[in-house]
Amino acid sequence: GENVEQHPSTLSVQEGDSAVIKCTYSDSASNYFPWYKQELGKGPQLIIDIRSNVGEKKDQRIAVTLNKTAKHFSLHITETQPEDSAVYFCAATVLSGYALNFGKGTSLLVTP
Amino acid sequence: DGGITQSPKYLFRKEGQNVTLSCEQNLNHDAMYWYRQDPGQGLRLIYYSQIVNDFQKGDIAEGYSVSREKKESFPLTVTSAQKNPTAFYLCASSPASWGFYEQYFGPGTRLTVT
């Protein structure tokens, strides 16, 4: 089955800096890659997703890039703010309606 | 308000007892899922259902059971056979079991078994 590796497990940045989280996947058939943000004690919320026919997608301060050849995708957060502090999960699947295969998460801390 | 509700938020049980976690959605979604989350781990799939009266095992189904008698409800029973049941349980739903659709998560239930 699909195996998703996520790095780093923890990341600390200063407010205003950029943060990058990287994930690799094993199944070349995977074609949908969402990123979720989870705040303490809450369920994850989708922040951005990308399909395999797109190399990059941006939504304000958040962007995701996908390299299908290398089987890795990354989350980029620019101009970080303290409210960006949370755990971020990447995931991969063949179709989004099927169960997602999650990475182990990255705990991001943005210090003022 | 539309969304997914999970109750209760915190649940305590004695070892050897079965316990049922509730998950209800009013989004008219076809697909529903149960995930388990442990500290430092990603979300691991327990069971999923693509349509009423049908469900499939996920990666860690042993010691769990589910039912899908109604479209809006997907309860999870943690049985006494589950060796390490203490965890954070998340329910999710998706508009369909095919295509590119977001999975929406509920707020979770934290189960503690002593």
Side-chain angles (χ1 to χ4, degrees), chain B residues 76-95:
Chain B
L76 173 74
T77 297
V78 184
T79 75
S80 57
Q82 167 51 231
K83 297 189 190 313
N84 187 18
T86 294
F88 189 49
Y89 290 88
L90 287 158
C91 178
S93 70
S94 182

Side-chain angles (χ1 to χ4, degrees), chain B residues 27-63:
Chain B
L27 301 168
N28 200 32
H29 286 176
D30 286 328
M32 297 186 74
Y33 312 82
W34 274 105
Y35 293 90
R36 170 182 171 140
Q37 186 174 25
D38 296 285
Q41 301 287 325
L43 283 68
R44 292 183 290 168
L45 181 68
I46 305 173
Y47 268 98
Y48 66 102
S49 169
Q50 296 172 320
I51 196 168
V52 174
N53 291 322
D54 187 44
F55 47 83
Q56 288 79 41
K57 292 182 179 180
D59 300 324
I60 55 166
E62 186 175 350

Side-chain angles (χ1 to χ4, degrees), chain A residues 31-32 36 38 41-46 49 51-52 87 89 94-105, chain B residues 9 31 33 35 37 40-43 45 48 50 59 88 90 94 96-103 105-107:
Chain A
N31 57 6
Y32 176 68
Y36 283 83
Q38 185 178 28
K42 297 184 178 180
Q45 283 195 304
L46 181 75
D49 57 8
R51 305 178 189 181
S52 60
V87 179
F89 292 96
V94 174
L95 288 173
S96 70
Y98 290 94
L100 296 169
N101 299 285
F102 284 88
K104 292 189 176 181
Chain B
K9 189 170 179 63
Y33 312 82
Y35 293 90
Q37 186 174 25
Q41 301 287 325
L43 283 68
L45 181 68
Y48 66 102
Q50 296 172 320
D59 300 324
F88 189 49
L90 287 158
S94 182
S97 60
W98 52 268
F100 296 101
Y101 294 105
E102 174 182 352
Q103 286 192 19
F105 284 84

Side-chain angles (χ1 to χ4, degrees), chain A residues 58-71:
Chain A
K58 190 173 181 180
D59 183 4
Q60 299 183 344
R61 297 186 296 110
I62 294 172
V64 57
T65 58
L66 171 66
N67 183 327
K68 285 178 58 180
T69 303
K71 289 190 283 188

